Amino acid sequence: MESLSQLGIQWSLLIAQTVNFVILFGVLSYFAYRPMLKFLDERSAKIEQGLRDAELAKKRLEEVAQEESAILGNAHKEAKDLLIKADTVAKERSAGILLDAQKSADRFLEDAKKQSAEMTKQMVSDAQKELAGVVVIAVEKIIREKISSGSDEVFLQKTLKDIQL
Amino acid sequence: MEFEISIAAEHLFSIGNFFVTNSLLIGVLVSALLIGLFLWGVSKKQIVPQKWQSLLEVMIEGALGAIEDIMQNKEQARKAFPLIFTIFIFILVSNWIGLLPGVGTIGLLHSSEGHTTIIPFLRSTSADLNFTLGLSLSVVIGVQLIGIFTLGLWGYGKKFLISPFHKPYVIGTFLGLLEIVSELAKILSFTFRLFGNVFAGEVLLTTMLHLLPYFLPLPFLALELLAGLIQATVFAMLTTVFMKMAMTEAQH
């Protein structure tokens, strides 16, 4: 104990220094380190979150760009296809129309031909009939005049019947 | 007028029965300064740190990183951080404040036996055995408590009390006793390492100052600046290592 006090060690001072340090330790850990560490943790979490978000946004953007180009490419292709299809359809249809027109024209022509042939026939037969009537009348007239002045009435009647039949 | 080298911190005044020494005074002042600075830094904290706050963050994160490196365990480092960092910053600041001009030379005139000596108002806290012994005791006792809380009373006690009837037999028991001695030795080595370095530095500086007041003390001042940092680091690092050892299960 003698040597301790020669070195300046005193219980009261030892305790005072220790208490001083313990108070410093307590105050700093409770009021300084704890909020500071919490704050630093929060901030690093926030930064991490931000980085993650940025990464996500970048990825999403890339995806969107990809999607966009895919959609555009698709649309392009579809438009091309559509055009080609429309073209073929139009061609087909015009060919069909042409064919139809040809057909109906042919049919018309044929009909007309037929009709005209029929009409001709009819006309010929009508003319035949009329001509026959006229000939008969004319013959009758001529013959009647002859008969009234002459004979052969029986023969005449018979001839007329032959002609008429 | 002479200067006197005193191993013991000098008494300045007394409050009742209690003598206040210059080293206790500086201890209280440094504590107040640190509390003020830290609380100021914490109270004005912002997401984007400004000057003092960013310095504070650099110190805290640097220290935490160093402790994590030693402990290899994030959670343990978090738990140990407050004590270790407080030790470091307190020893560092009080060491450096002891180097300020006037700290060792301005003081009360004191006459005894015909000599007039100066009793400095302020003396680095670490140049007082009361402080270094108190700190060592706190650390060593604290380390035992941490060991007990982490491993349980029996788990931690296994380190010291080893049955003589198992594998290494009496040797193991003897090693356990040596562990107890080494814990006690830690107190002494902590106490006298810090005290010896800081006190020697102050004596060196005072001597140089009295030999030649100009230029001669400068290199020694720079050296002491470094020594103050080194001593603070050494104390904190050793505390970290001892804590880690206490938290680790004894291997037999």
Short mmCIF file of all heavy atoms in Angstrom, two decimals, chain A residues 111-144:
data_model
loop_
_atom_site.label_atom_id
_atom_site.label_comp_id
_atom_site.label_asym_id
_atom_site.label_seq_id
_atom_site.Cartn_x
_atom_site.Cartn_y
_atom_site.Cartn_z
N ASP A 111 -77.27 -17.03 -124.99
CA ASP A 111 -78.73 -16.77 -124.89
C ASP A 111 -79.20 -16.01 -126.12
O ASP A 111 -80.23 -16.34 -126.73
CB ASP A 111 -79.02 -15.95 -123.63
CG ASP A 111 -79.00 -16.84 -122.41
OD1 ASP A 111 -78.82 -18.09 -122.57
OD2 ASP A 111 -79.13 -16.32 -121.27
N ALA A 112 -78.43 -14.96 -126.39
CA ALA A 112 -78.83 -14.12 -127.52
C ALA A 112 -78.88 -14.94 -128.80
O ALA A 112 -79.83 -14.84 -129.60
CB ALA A 112 -77.82 -12.97 -127.67
N LYS A 113 -77.86 -15.77 -128.93
CA LYS A 113 -77.81 -16.60 -130.12
C LYS A 113 -79.04 -17.50 -130.20
O LYS A 113 -79.74 -17.59 -131.22
CB LYS A 113 -76.56 -17.48 -130.11
CG LYS A 113 -75.38 -16.83 -130.82
CD LYS A 113 -74.21 -17.83 -130.81
CE LYS A 113 -72.94 -17.22 -131.31
NZ LYS A 113 -71.78 -18.05 -130.98
N LYS A 114 -79.29 -18.13 -129.05
CA LYS A 114 -80.41 -19.05 -128.99
C LYS A 114 -81.70 -18.32 -129.33
O LYS A 114 -82.50 -18.77 -130.16
CB LYS A 114 -80.54 -19.60 -127.56
CG LYS A 114 -80.17 -21.10 -127.51
CD LYS A 114 -80.49 -21.57 -126.10
CE LYS A 114 -79.44 -22.56 -125.62
NZ LYS A 114 -79.48 -22.71 -124.17
N GLN A 115 -81.86 -17.17 -128.67
CA GLN A 115 -83.09 -16.42 -128.86
C GLN A 115 -83.27 -16.04 -130.34
O GLN A 115 -84.34 -16.20 -130.93
CB GLN A 115 -83.05 -15.15 -128.00
CG GLN A 115 -84.19 -15.14 -127.02
CD GLN A 115 -83.99 -14.05 -125.97
OE1 GLN A 115 -82.98 -13.39 -125.94
NE2 GLN A 115 -85.01 -13.87 -125.15
N SER A 116 -82.13 -15.57 -130.83
CA SER A 116 -82.24 -15.12 -132.23
C SER A 116 -82.55 -16.31 -133.16
O SER A 116 -83.37 -16.21 -134.09
CB SER A 116 -80.96 -14.40 -132.65
OG SER A 116 -79.91 -15.32 -132.82
N ALA A 117 -81.93 -17.44 -132.79
CA ALA A 117 -82.20 -18.62 -133.61
C ALA A 117 -83.67 -19.00 -133.52
O ALA A 117 -84.34 -19.26 -134.55
CB ALA A 117 -81.32 -19.78 -133.12
N GLU A 118 -84.16 -18.96 -132.27
CA GLU A 118 -85.57 -19.31 -132.06
C GLU A 118 -86.48 -18.36 -132.84
O GLU A 118 -87.45 -18.76 -133.51
CB GLU A 118 -85.90 -19.23 -130.57
CG GLU A 118 -86.23 -20.63 -130.00
CD GLU A 118 -86.20 -20.63 -128.52
OE1 GLU A 118 -87.02 -19.88 -127.92
OE2 GLU A 118 -85.35 -21.35 -127.92
N MET A 119 -86.11 -17.06 -132.64
CA MET A 119 -86.95 -16.06 -133.30
C MET A 119 -86.96 -16.27 -134.82
O MET A 119 -88.00 -16.19 -135.47
CB MET A 119 -86.39 -14.65 -132.96
CG MET A 119 -87.20 -14.00 -131.84
SD MET A 119 -86.26 -12.70 -131.05
CE MET A 119 -86.53 -11.38 -132.19
N THR A 120 -85.78 -16.54 -135.31
CA THR A 120 -85.69 -16.78 -136.74
C THR A 120 -86.60 -17.93 -137.15
O THR A 120 -87.40 -17.85 -138.10
CB THR A 120 -84.24 -17.13 -137.13
OG1 THR A 120 -83.36 -16.30 -136.40
CG2 THR A 120 -84.04 -16.98 -138.63
N LYS A 121 -86.48 -18.96 -136.35
CA LYS A 121 -87.28 -20.15 -136.64
C LYS A 121 -88.77 -19.81 -136.63
O LYS A 121 -89.52 -20.16 -137.54
CB LYS A 121 -87.00 -21.19 -135.55
CG LYS A 121 -86.94 -22.61 -136.10
CD LYS A 121 -86.37 -23.47 -134.99
CE LYS A 121 -86.89 -24.89 -135.04
NZ LYS A 121 -86.46 -25.59 -133.81
N GLN A 122 -89.11 -19.08 -135.53
CA GLN A 122 -90.50 -18.71 -135.36
C GLN A 122 -90.97 -17.88 -136.58
O GLN A 122 -92.03 -18.13 -137.16
CB GLN A 122 -90.63 -17.87 -134.07
CG GLN A 122 -92.05 -17.49 -133.71
CD GLN A 122 -92.74 -18.66 -133.00
OE1 GLN A 122 -92.11 -19.40 -132.28
NE2 GLN A 122 -94.03 -18.87 -133.29
N MET A 123 -90.08 -16.90 -136.84
CA MET A 123 -90.44 -16.02 -137.94
C MET A 123 -90.62 -16.83 -139.23
O MET A 123 -91.59 -16.62 -140.00
CB MET A 123 -89.34 -14.96 -138.13
CG MET A 123 -89.66 -13.68 -137.39
SD MET A 123 -88.21 -12.65 -137.17
CE MET A 123 -87.89 -12.20 -138.85
N VAL A 124 -89.68 -17.74 -139.41
CA VAL A 124 -89.76 -18.55 -140.64
C VAL A 124 -91.07 -19.34 -140.66
O VAL A 124 -91.82 -19.35 -141.65
CB VAL A 124 -88.56 -19.50 -140.73
CG1 VAL A 124 -88.79 -20.54 -141.85
CG2 VAL A 124 -87.29 -18.71 -141.00
N SER A 125 -91.37 -19.94 -139.45
CA SER A 125 -92.58 -20.76 -139.44
C SER A 125 -93.82 -19.89 -139.60
O SER A 125 -94.75 -20.25 -140.33
CB SER A 125 -92.64 -21.60 -138.15
OG SER A 125 -93.09 -20.85 -137.09
N ASP A 126 -93.77 -18.74 -138.90
CA ASP A 126 -94.90 -17.80 -139.05
C ASP A 126 -95.05 -17.40 -140.52
O ASP A 126 -96.17 -17.42 -141.08
CB ASP A 126 -94.64 -16.54 -138.20
CG ASP A 126 -94.97 -16.79 -136.74
OD1 ASP A 126 -95.40 -17.95 -136.40
OD2 ASP A 126 -94.79 -15.85 -135.92
N ALA A 127 -93.93 -17.05 -141.10
CA ALA A 127 -93.97 -16.61 -142.50
C ALA A 127 -94.50 -17.72 -143.40
O ALA A 127 -95.34 -17.50 -144.28
CB ALA A 127 -92.55 -16.22 -142.94
N GLN A 128 -94.05 -18.92 -143.06
CA GLN A 128 -94.51 -20.08 -143.83
C GLN A 128 -96.03 -20.17 -143.74
O GLN A 128 -96.74 -20.29 -144.76
CB GLN A 128 -93.87 -21.36 -143.27
CG GLN A 128 -92.80 -21.89 -144.18
CD GLN A 128 -92.10 -23.12 -143.57
OE1 GLN A 128 -92.34 -23.45 -142.44
NE2 GLN A 128 -91.29 -23.79 -144.40
N LYS A 129 -96.47 -20.05 -142.43
CA LYS A 129 -97.90 -20.17 -142.23
C LYS A 129 -98.64 -19.10 -143.00
O LYS A 129 -99.61 -19.36 -143.72
CB LYS A 129 -98.24 -20.01 -140.74
CG LYS A 129 -98.30 -21.37 -140.04
CD LYS A 129 -98.72 -21.13 -138.59
CE LYS A 129 -98.41 -22.36 -137.78
NZ LYS A 129 -98.45 -22.08 -136.35
N GLU A 130 -98.16 -17.88 -142.80
CA GLU A 130 -98.85 -16.78 -143.45
C GLU A 130 -98.85 -16.93 -144.98
O GLU A 130 -99.87 -16.77 -145.65
CB GLU A 130 -98.13 -15.47 -143.07
CG GLU A 130 -99.10 -14.46 -142.48
CD GLU A 130 -98.36 -13.36 -141.80
OE1 GLU A 130 -98.04 -13.52 -140.55
OE2 GLU A 130 -98.10 -12.31 -142.44
N LEU A 131 -97.61 -17.26 -145.41
CA LEU A 131 -97.47 -17.43 -146.87
C LEU A 131 -98.45 -18.50 -147.38
O LEU A 131 -99.16 -18.29 -148.36
CB LEU A 131 -96.02 -17.85 -147.15
CG LEU A 131 -95.56 -17.64 -148.58
CD1 LEU A 131 -95.62 -16.14 -148.94
CD2 LEU A 131 -94.15 -18.18 -148.79
N ALA A 132 -98.50 -19.58 -146.60
CA ALA A 132 -99.39 -20.66 -146.99
C ALA A 132 -100.82 -20.14 -147.07
O ALA A 132 -101.54 -20.38 -148.07
CB ALA A 132 -99.29 -21.82 -145.98
N GLY A 133 -101.19 -19.36 -145.99
CA GLY A 133 -102.58 -18.80 -145.97
C GLY A 133 -102.80 -17.95 -147.21
O GLY A 133 -103.82 -18.10 -147.92
N VAL A 134 -101.80 -17.05 -147.42
CA VAL A 134 -101.97 -16.12 -148.53
C VAL A 134 -102.07 -16.90 -149.85
O VAL A 134 -102.95 -16.63 -150.67
CB VAL A 134 -100.77 -15.15 -148.58
CG1 VAL A 134 -100.80 -14.34 -149.87
CG2 VAL A 134 -100.80 -14.23 -147.37
N VAL A 135 -101.19 -17.87 -150.01
CA VAL A 135 -101.19 -18.67 -151.24
C VAL A 135 -102.54 -19.34 -151.41
O VAL A 135 -103.16 -19.31 -152.49
CB VAL A 135 -100.05 -19.71 -151.19
CG1 VAL A 135 -100.21 -20.72 -152.35
CG2 VAL A 135 -98.71 -19.00 -151.30
N VAL A 136 -103.01 -19.89 -150.28
CA VAL A 136 -104.28 -20.59 -150.34
C VAL A 136 -105.37 -19.62 -150.81
O VAL A 136 -106.16 -19.93 -151.70
CB VAL A 136 -104.64 -21.20 -148.98
CG1 VAL A 136 -106.10 -21.68 -148.96
CG2 VAL A 136 -103.69 -22.37 -148.70
N ILE A 137 -105.41 -18.45 -150.10
CA ILE A 137 -106.45 -17.48 -150.44
C ILE A 137 -106.34 -17.10 -151.91
O ILE A 137 -107.35 -17.08 -152.64
CB ILE A 137 -106.34 -16.25 -149.54
CG1 ILE A 137 -106.70 -16.64 -148.12
CG2 ILE A 137 -107.27 -15.13 -150.04
CD1 ILE A 137 -106.37 -15.60 -147.10
N ALA A 138 -105.05 -16.83 -152.26
CA ALA A 138 -104.85 -16.40 -153.64
C ALA A 138 -105.26 -17.50 -154.60
O ALA A 138 -106.04 -17.26 -155.55
CB ALA A 138 -103.36 -16.06 -153.86
N VAL A 139 -104.84 -18.68 -154.30
CA VAL A 139 -105.19 -19.82 -155.15
C VAL A 139 -106.71 -19.96 -155.17
O VAL A 139 -107.31 -20.13 -156.23
CB VAL A 139 -104.50 -21.08 -154.63
CG1 VAL A 139 -105.04 -22.33 -155.36
CG2 VAL A 139 -103.00 -20.98 -154.89
N GLU A 140 -107.33 -19.87 -153.99
CA GLU A 140 -108.78 -20.00 -153.89
C GLU A 140 -109.45 -19.00 -154.80
O GLU A 140 -110.37 -19.34 -155.55
CB GLU A 140 -109.20 -19.74 -152.42
CG GLU A 140 -110.19 -20.75 -151.95
CD GLU A 140 -110.54 -20.53 -150.49
OE1 GLU A 140 -110.07 -19.50 -149.88
OE2 GLU A 140 -111.28 -21.35 -149.93
N LYS A 141 -108.95 -17.75 -154.59
CA LYS A 141 -109.56 -16.70 -155.40
C LYS A 141 -109.47 -17.01 -156.88
O LYS A 141 -110.45 -16.95 -157.59
CB LYS A 141 -108.81 -15.37 -155.13
CG LYS A 141 -109.66 -14.40 -154.34
CD LYS A 141 -108.89 -13.08 -154.16
CE LYS A 141 -109.64 -12.20 -153.22
NZ LYS A 141 -108.88 -11.04 -152.82
N ILE A 142 -108.25 -17.32 -157.28
CA ILE A 142 -108.04 -17.58 -158.69
C ILE A 142 -108.92 -18.76 -159.14
O ILE A 142 -109.65 -18.68 -160.12
CB ILE A 142 -106.56 -17.92 -158.96
CG1 ILE A 142 -105.69 -16.69 -158.67
CG2 ILE A 142 -106.35 -18.42 -160.43
CD1 ILE A 142 -104.22 -17.00 -158.60
N ILE A 143 -108.89 -19.77 -158.35
CA ILE A 143 -109.61 -20.97 -158.73
C ILE A 143 -111.10 -20.68 -158.74
O ILE A 143 -111.81 -21.08 -159.66
CB ILE A 143 -109.29 -22.10 -157.78
CG1 ILE A 143 -107.84 -22.56 -158.06
CG2 ILE A 143 -110.26 -23.31 -157.97
CD1 ILE A 143 -107.29 -23.55 -157.12
N ARG A 144 -111.59 -19.92 -157.71
CA ARG A 144 -113.01 -19.63 -157.68
C ARG A 144 -113.43 -18.88 -158.91
O ARG A 144 -114.45 -19.19 -159.49
CB ARG A 144 -113.32 -18.79 -156.44
CG ARG A 144 -114.79 -18.90 -156.08
CD ARG A 144 -114.98 -18.47 -154.67
NE ARG A 144 -114.61 -19.52 -153.77
CZ ARG A 144 -114.49 -19.34 -152.44
NH1 ARG A 144 -114.70 -18.16 -151.90
NH2 ARG A 144 -114.19 -20.34 -151.67
#
